[in-house]
Amino acid sequence: NYHLDSIKDASVPGQYNRYAVYVVIEEPADIQQLKQVVKYVVETAKAGQVESIEKFNALAIYINYEGDMSIHTASLGRAEFAPEGDWGNARFVDPGEYDKMSYFWALKEKKWDILTEEETEILKEWWESFKKAEEIEEFPDEDKITGEIANKFGVSSTEVQEILNKYLDWVYSG
């Protein structure tokens, strides 16, 4: 299961139509499943069934896991559907010349069981607290949030930080 989180229009009017599509995977997936999602997104976009995407010269699809702290990490990788599989070549085709486009894959195989159930709950709670604090101030005090979460779960701040580090290692590995 997945959903489209957002679409960024990176077109240059009169020259080419490029879109960055941010996809969120809702459950663990392997490389083949990620490829299926990307191909489905591309095919529906080609058919004009994705709102806010017109005939295009290039698509970049960024794939994240639902639990990611930032939708812009592409923790599960990215793919491009463009001339020679390169988003930068968008200007070399007309919008909708899909037969002149191919895929570029940069997907990541992930180990899905890096956090225990309790660690996952701690991580989710930390992230929710961070997002709430971010609504109030531009740069929330992460140490304060870590301490509050540690107290709530009866663990040390160091343990909470280790969970955050494990998660960040997971996001950027692969």
Side-chain angles (χ1 to χ4, degrees), residues 69 120-132 140-150 153 160-161 163-164:
M69 288 193 248
T120 301
E121 288 305 311
I122 290 170
L123 178 66
K124 284 180 182 177
E125 188 73 29
W126 190 95
W127 182 234
E128 287 302 316
S129 295
F130 181 84
K131 287 194 288 188
K132 284 178 187 171
D141 185 342
E142 293 181 25
D143 290 335
K144 179 181 175 192
I145 295 167
T146 299
E148 291 169 355
I149 298 303
F153 284 88
V160 173
Q161 190 59 52
I163 292 167
L164 292 169

Side-chain angles (χ1 to χ4, degrees), residues 108-139:
K108 300 175 183 179
E109 190 75 51
K110 293 290 189 171
K111 183 178 181 200
W112 288 96
D113 58 355
I114 62 154
L115 297 176
T116 67
E117 230 174 272
E118 181 185 23
E119 289 173 330
T120 301
E121 288 305 311
I122 290 170
L123 178 66
K124 284 180 182 177
E125 188 73 29
W126 190 95
W127 182 234
E128 287 302 316
S129 295
F130 181 84
K131 287 194 288 188
K132 284 178 187 171
E134 211 171 27
E135 292 173 7
I136 298 166
E137 57 188 310
E138 187 176 1
F139 300 104

Side-chain angles (χ1 to χ4, degrees), residues 34-137:
L34 297 176
K35 282 186 176 184
Q36 288 174 347
V37 168
V38 168
K39 288 179 180 180
Y40 184 78
V41 169
V42 168
E43 291 304 315
T44 55
K46 285 167 46 177
Q49 298 173 345
V50 177
E51 191 175 325
S52 75
I53 294 184
E54 300 175 11
K55 284 186 178 180
F56 59 88
N57 305 58
L59 281 185
I61 297 101
Y62 297 91
I63 307 171
N64 295 280
Y65 184 58
E66 187 169 46
D68 289 350
M69 288 193 248
S70 170
I71 201 62
H72 301 289
T73 60
S75 64
L76 298 176
R78 67 181 175 83
E80 294 179 13
F81 184 72
E84 298 179 18
D86 185 344
W87 156 280
N89 289 336
R91 67 186 181 280
F92 298 126
V93 298
D94 290 327
E97 287 189 311
Y98 304 126
D99 60 327
K100 296 181 179 178
M101 298 180 200
S102 58
Y103 287 95
F104 166 78
W105 302 103
L107 303 175
K108 300 175 183 179
E109 190 75 51
K110 293 290 189 171
K111 183 178 181 200
W112 288 96
D113 58 355
I114 62 154
L115 297 176
T116 67
E117 230 174 272
E118 181 185 23
E119 289 173 330
T120 301
E121 288 305 311
I122 290 170
L123 178 66
K124 284 180 182 177
E125 188 73 29
W126 190 95
W127 182 234
E128 287 302 316
S129 295
F130 181 84
K131 287 194 288 188
K132 284 178 187 171
E134 211 171 27
E135 292 173 7
I136 298 166
E137 57 188 310

Side-chain angles (χ1 to χ4, degrees), residues 16-34:
Y16 52 79
N17 298 332
R18 295 192 307 193
Y19 301 92
V21 180
Y22 295 90
V23 175
V24 176
I25 301 295
E26 298 167 0
E27 55 194 39
D30 63 26
I31 296 286
Q32 289 309 316
Q33 292 166 319
L34 297 176

